[in-house]
Amino acid sequence: MICRRCGCMLDKGTRICPFCGEPVVFDETGRRLEKQDDQAMEKGDMPELVPLKELAPVPGTREETLAELRRLRQYFSAMDEKYAVLEDLWLMGSRWRQPSRSHWLAGGGLLALLLYLLIGIHFPAGVIVLFFILWGVISYVGYQRSWRAYVAHKAKTELDIRMTENQLRTFYNEATRCFLPLDYTSPGVFHELILGLDSGMITSFEDYRINN
């Protein structure tokens, strides 16, 4: 079997591609599987990932492959901007980091110390407990606000990624005689394939897929 998203070869009976996480909807005989791993397709209230259709047979000759690649490149060029948006969203999502408790403890301690020095003179000497109260409140409130902001931004980014992926998948499913896995329909891959086949550096699409 071949993954319809990344084009990797899969063992018989595989339900989820180990390389890209794409659910396997069809078995090696072309029959639709009755059950899928819903956890791989859903996350909370996240919309389901649009399933990909079966791949068309690879053209038999180099000339036919080039002709089909040029036709498909023209078709998928309408989604070039979506591919760029998806890459930006992936990059944005990879930059989000969970807030650090230790950082908030350290920062909260410094801020609490500053406030204690400013207002501590108005209290009896030795009221050190005020420092610890300030430290705890600042650290807890700051961390909780940072965590909520992180969760909200992360959820929005993941939703934007899913919506963009589904737009690409829906457009992909409407392509006629598409033998390319989804990950092979970006502008850069089309350029490499056509240039390689046209120059003779690549002998066939199968050769390109095996080497990549």
Side-chain angles (χ1 to χ4, degrees):
M1 294 190 296
I2 298 173
C3 177
R4 294 160 299 146
R5 177 178 179 180
C6 68
C8 290
M9 300 298 296
L10 305 177
D11 294 332
K12 182 178 179 180
T14 301
R15 289 296 188 92
I16 302 292
C17 176
F19 303 99
C20 68
E22 174 70 17
V24 178
V25 181
F26 299 92
D27 63 17
E28 63 278 356
T29 64
R31 293 179 301 178
R32 188 177 184 88
L33 298 173
E34 294 181 358
K35 296 182 180 180
Q36 300 177 34
D37 189 344
D38 293 335
Q39 292 182 350
M41 299 181 66
E42 299 181 11
K43 186 176 182 180
D45 296 327
M46 188 74 67
E48 287 190 1
L49 201 60
V50 172
L52 298 176
K53 68 177 184 179
E54 293 182 87
L55 296 175
V58 178
T61 66
R62 173 174 163 275
E63 290 72 20
E64 291 174 341
T65 303
L66 275 170
E68 285 297 290
L69 283 172
R70 292 190 174 101
R71 179 185 66 82
L72 289 170
R73 179 174 64 175
Q74 184 176 3
Y75 173 80
F76 282 103
S77 64
M79 300 298 283
D80 285 356
E81 184 177 343
K82 287 293 181 183
Y83 283 102
V85 169
L86 185 58
E87 290 179 0
D88 290 342
L89 288 171
W90 282 336
L91 180 61
M92 187 185 304
S94 67
R95 290 178 174 175
W96 286 109
R97 295 289 182 269
Q98 295 184 16
S100 170
R101 288 189 178 90
S102 59
H103 289 172
W104 271 107
L105 281 173
L110 291 175
L111 183 57
L113 179 62
L114 176 62
L115 292 176
Y116 178 76
L117 293 175
L118 291 175
I119 65 177
I121 58 175
H122 303 293
F123 292 87
V127 188
I128 191 66
V129 69
L130 176 63
F131 166 74
F132 291 103
I133 293 174
L134 289 172
W135 187 6
V137 170
I138 293 172
S139 299
Y140 177 80
V141 173
Y143 176 79
Q144 288 298 319
R145 292 186 62 182
S146 296
W147 177 260
R148 286 194 293 269
Y150 162 77
V151 171
H153 286 297
K154 185 173 183 290
K156 184 180 184 306
T157 302
E158 289 178 348
L159 179 60
D160 290 341
I161 289 174
R162 177 58 56 85
M163 298 297 290
T164 305
E165 285 180 331
N166 280 346
Q167 290 175 357
L168 285 169
R169 284 167 171 259
T170 300
F171 191 80
Y172 173 88
N173 287 340
E174 294 173 354
T176 58
R177 304 190 310 277
C178 184
F179 62 94
L180 296 171
L182 177 62
D183 287 357
Y184 286 64
T185 57
S186 62
V189 176
F190 271 115
H191 177 75
E192 287 183 12
L193 273 169
I194 293 175
L195 182 63
L197 286 169
D198 208 20
S199 64
M201 294 180 64
I202 301 174
T203 58
S204 66
F205 171 67
E206 295 292 345
D207 178 55
Y208 178 85
R209 184 169 60 189
I210 291 173
N211 291 318
N212 288 274

